[in-house]
């Protein structure tokens, strides 16, 4: 009885949270106030920027539900693109930007191995980088030459999503990347080559149950990756909603599935956030997302950067991006001011995910206490049992971890929403 009352309270809380998140995404992440950025208008920070994000927007075939920025691969265009990308990297480094780490995402990052290698070698020849992280699909470890990336990539993140053939077939990933058994074999090959391997998994599919989520993660754990990133399928709020929505299950099934994730991974992994888990021995591994207070500079077509209360957007049109690079030596074409409320909401999500809402840290960061910044949200979190008070601070309960996860999925939906609008911004090259 107690369980069903608290479950009802949680569902009421998460249903209203979904509504609030969708509303706030539309308000605070609208690109109506985006303004063109002239080359050289930005000021270079004194300290290293945490992440240099590099986008590779090409795929051999385009997946139905994917909202990332990508186009169908054409070799001539892709080679021209890599050339422009290296030009942009040279330019930002010569202007004084320094980075702690590099994150390469796509698209299919390894689509032209020789170009990718040249790009990483260029960065390493120009500046010191603590870590190079690269996304990849599983089939690369069967059809490509991943040993060529040994010594260049420190952390390989492989998007598997599920080892269950029924899910792989329903998402079109079986035909593209092979069966669950084959993909497990490819992940094992990657683990032999790279110092750190992350496996991306997903839940919340229509055919999934808490038990099948558990089985999927037991299979993932058997491979022994350093890190497992796992969160529910993001349905989003825009054009992609219909396509992704066809695959998604009942949102109320996510709570038992989240509990299954936690209980299964707790055997050998530590929860960094409710969406990332690291092996609880050996070296701790870094979270892939831009964390609280960590700035990011994006290069390449379709890349985003975030500096304090400002978003920077690179051209989503590949020909426009190449022209911009030739004309102005910068692919960033728009900036958008971020409301301080949106930045504080991001801090709140990260602190909820960490499990500790530290009033002092929050005040040092924002100049306001949690209650001054979020009177409604704090009442909501307390009333829904998501946080409990301890001294001046608050701690996240298990329900609160689930709410943090929903906030994180909301953050991903917000990024999808930005991408959709950015595709429609007027081109700025001549
Ligand atoms: S391969 Fe990856 S990036 Fe490319 S379309 Fe499919 S899901 Fe999207």
């Amino acid at each position: 009885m107690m369980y069903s009352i608290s479950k009802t309270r949680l569902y009421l809380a998460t249903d209203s949270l979904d509504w609030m998140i969708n509303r706030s995404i539309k308000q605070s992440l609208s690109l109506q106030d985006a303004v063109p950025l002239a080359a050289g208008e930005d000021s270079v920070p004194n300290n290293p920027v945490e992440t240099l994000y590099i986008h590779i927007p090409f795929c051999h075939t385009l997946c139905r539900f994917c909202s990332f920025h990508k186009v169908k691969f054409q070799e001539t265009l892709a080679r021209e693109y890599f050339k422009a990308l290296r030009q942009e990297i040279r330019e930002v480094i010569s202007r004084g930007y320094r980075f702690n780490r590099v994150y390469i995402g796509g698209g299919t990052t390894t689509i032209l191995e020789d170009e990718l290698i040249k790009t990483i070698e260029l960065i390493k020849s120009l500046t010191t980088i603590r870590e190079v992280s690269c996304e990849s699909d599983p089939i690369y470890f069967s059809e490509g030459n991943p040993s060529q990336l040994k010594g260049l990539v420190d952390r390989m993140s492989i998007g598997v999503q599920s080892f269950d053939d029924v899910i792989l077939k329903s998402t079109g990933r079986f035909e593209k990347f092979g069966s669950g058994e084959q993909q497990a074999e490819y992940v094992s090959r990657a683990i032999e080559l790279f110092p750190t391997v992350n496996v991306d998994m997903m839940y919340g599919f229509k055919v999934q149950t808490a038990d099948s989520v558990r089985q999927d993660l037991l299979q993932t754990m058997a491979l022994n990756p350093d890190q497992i990133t796992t969160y529910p399928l993001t349905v989003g709020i825009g054009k992609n909603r219909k396509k992704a929505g066809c695959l998604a299950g009942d949102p109320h099934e996510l709570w038992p599935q989240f509990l299954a994730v936690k209980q299964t991974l707790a055997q050998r992994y530590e929860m960094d956030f409710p969406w990332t888990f690291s092996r609880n021995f050996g070296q701790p591994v870094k979270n892939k997302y831009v964390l609280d207070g960590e700035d990011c500079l994006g290069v390449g077509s379709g890349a985003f950067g975030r500096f304090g209360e400002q978003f920077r957007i690179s051209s989503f049109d590949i020909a426009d991006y190449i022209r911009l690079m030739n004309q102005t030596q910068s692919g960033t074409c728009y900036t958008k001011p971020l409301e301080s409320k949106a930045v504080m909401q991001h801090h709140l999500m990260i602190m909820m995910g960490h499990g500790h809402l530290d009033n002092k840290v929050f005040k040092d960061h924002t100049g306001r206490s949690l209650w001054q910044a979020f009177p409604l949200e704090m009442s909501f979190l307390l009333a829904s049992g998501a946080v409990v008070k301890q001294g001046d601070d608050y701690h996240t309960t298990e329900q609160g971890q689930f709410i943090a996860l929903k906030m994180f999925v909301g953050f991903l939906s917000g990024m999808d929403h930005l991408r959709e609008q950015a595709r429609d911004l007027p081109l700025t090259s001549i």
Side-chain angles (χ1 to χ4, degrees):
M1 184 66 179
M2 270 304 288
Y3 178 63
S4 74
I5 289 173
S6 67
K7 215 160 80 167
T8 310
R9 186 163 72 147
L10 180 68
Y11 291 161
L12 271 173
T14 51
D15 289 349
S16 45
L17 181 75
D18 286 344
W19 180 83
M20 283 193 292
I21 288 176
N22 289 351
R23 199 161 155 263
S24 113
I25 289 173
K26 283 183 187 149
Q27 276 172 357
S28 59
L29 294 180
S30 156
L31 285 187
Q32 276 178 354
D33 55 353
V35 287
L37 176 83
E41 253 183 26
D42 55 330
S43 54
V44 179
N46 295 330
N47 296 326
V49 174
E50 180 58 24
T51 305
L52 171 66
Y53 175 77
I54 301 176
H55 194 73
I56 314 295
F58 299 97
C59 291
H60 287 294
T61 53
L62 306 183
C63 300
R64 207 155 54 90
F65 62 92
C66 173
S67 64
F68 295 126
H69 171 50
K70 77 281 163 192
V71 297
K72 208 158 180 335
F73 177 63
Q74 298 162 45
E75 184 166 346
T76 314
L77 180 67
R79 290 205 182 274
E80 248 187 274
Y81 174 79
F82 268 102
K83 216 167 128 198
L85 182 64
R86 284 193 291 274
Q87 186 52 36
E88 186 172 23
I89 292 168
R90 262 188 222 104
E91 194 56 35
V92 292
I93 293 176
S94 77
R95 292 188 49 222
Y97 281 100
R98 292 294 175 269
F99 307 95
N100 288 330
R101 61 187 189 126
V102 169
Y103 189 92
I104 307 167
T108 303
T109 56
T110 50
I111 206 147
L112 285 172
E113 270 171 335
D114 58 332
E115 297 283 359
L116 178 65
I117 289 169
K118 250 198 233 175
T119 308
I120 302 174
E121 282 176 345
L122 171 76
I123 299 167
K124 292 199 166 188
S125 72
L126 295 175
T127 184
T128 309
I129 292 290
R130 201 176 60 213
E131 180 192 79
V132 175
S133 197
C134 184
E135 288 176 356
S136 174
D137 55 45
I139 198 83
Y140 173 63
F141 299 93
S142 164
E143 295 179 351
N145 292 301
S147 58
Q148 292 192 79
L149 295 177
K150 210 175 158 182
L152 290 175
V153 171
D154 306 291
R155 178 178 176 275
M156 187 57 87
S157 181
I158 308 169
V160 172
Q161 316 314 352
S162 175
F163 289 106
D164 181 335
D165 287 346
V166 175
I167 294 173
L168 291 173
K169 283 179 185 166
S170 72
T171 53
R173 297 180 71 88
F174 186 95
E175 294 73 16
K176 275 186 93 162
F177 305 132
S179 67
E181 202 182 326
Q182 286 169 315
Q183 293 194 39
E185 163 60 23
Y186 306 152
V187 170
S188 305
R189 290 183 202 171
I191 288 174
E192 279 170 25
L193 285 175
F194 297 98
T196 301
V197 170
N198 169 69
V199 177
D200 267 346
M201 299 293 287
M202 214 169 246
Y203 54 98
F205 288 101
K206 223 174 230 162
V207 291
Q208 268 175 322
T209 61
D211 207 46
S212 65
V213 169
R214 191 172 296 117
Q215 292 309 320
D216 227 357
L217 289 173
L218 283 171
Q219 219 173 325
T220 316
M221 273 167 59
L223 300 169
N224 216 12
D226 305 276
Q227 190 180 39
I228 299 173
T229 302
T230 184
Y231 49 83
L233 174 71
T234 309
V235 175
I237 60 165
K239 293 177 198 152
N240 208 42
R241 187 178 177 85
K242 215 168 160 190
K243 286 189 262 171
C246 298
L247 298 168
D250 177 354
H252 289 175
E253 289 303 314
L254 293 179
W255 168 241
Q257 292 181 14
F258 170 65
L259 293 179
V261 168
K262 269 191 69 180
Q263 284 154 7
T264 310
L265 294 181
Q267 296 167 32
R268 285 184 24 240
Y269 286 73
E270 267 168 21
M271 190 174 84
D272 302 326
F273 290 91
W275 51 91
T276 53
F277 297 79
S278 299
R279 255 188 334 173
N280 55 14
F281 52 90
Q283 269 202 313
V285 281
K286 269 251 159 201
N287 189 271
K288 73 182 259 191
Y289 293 98
V290 179
L291 298 183
D292 187 20
E294 292 179 350
D295 287 342
C296 165
L297 181 86
V299 291
S301 172
F304 283 110
R306 195 200 100 180
F307 279 76
E309 296 190 356
Q310 192 192 54
F311 255 126
R312 295 188 197 186
I313 304 153
S314 297
S315 177
F316 272 60
D317 181 289
I318 293 174
D320 180 58
Y321 169 77
I322 296 172
R323 275 197 304 273
L324 270 176
M325 276 313 302
N326 291 333
Q327 288 166 6
T328 67
Q329 307 296 302
S330 170
T332 307
C333 52
Y334 282 92
T335 63
K336 177 207 154 45
L338 260 180
E339 285 173 19
S340 53
K341 174 95 182 181
V343 177
M344 288 194 295
Q345 279 167 341
H346 187 79
H347 295 330
L348 182 67
M349 173 190 85
I350 295 293
M351 290 199 302
M352 289 274 297
H354 268 303
H356 181 196
L357 276 66
D358 188 320
N359 236 324
K360 185 175 177 315
V361 168
F362 186 79
K363 199 163 185 178
D364 289 349
H365 226 75
T366 65
R368 304 167 83 178
S369 73
L370 284 162
W371 278 95
Q372 283 167 337
F374 297 117
L376 280 178
E377 290 86 343
M378 287 303 292
S379 309
F380 165 82
L381 291 173
L382 273 171
S384 61
V387 296
V388 286
K389 191 162 170 37
Q390 283 188 357
D392 280 346
D393 300 340
Y394 294 85
H395 282 265
T396 315
T397 61
E398 195 159 57
Q399 281 93 336
Q401 291 167 355
F402 182 62
I403 284 183
L405 178 75
K406 298 282 272 185
M407 290 163 89
F408 177 70
V409 173
F411 163 74
L412 298 180
S413 299
M415 297 310 288
D416 277 356
H417 182 56
L418 277 177
R419 276 193 284 268
E420 274 187 10
Q421 298 169 83
R423 284 184 193 112
D424 295 333
L425 288 171
L427 304 186
T428 55
S429 67
I430 304 149

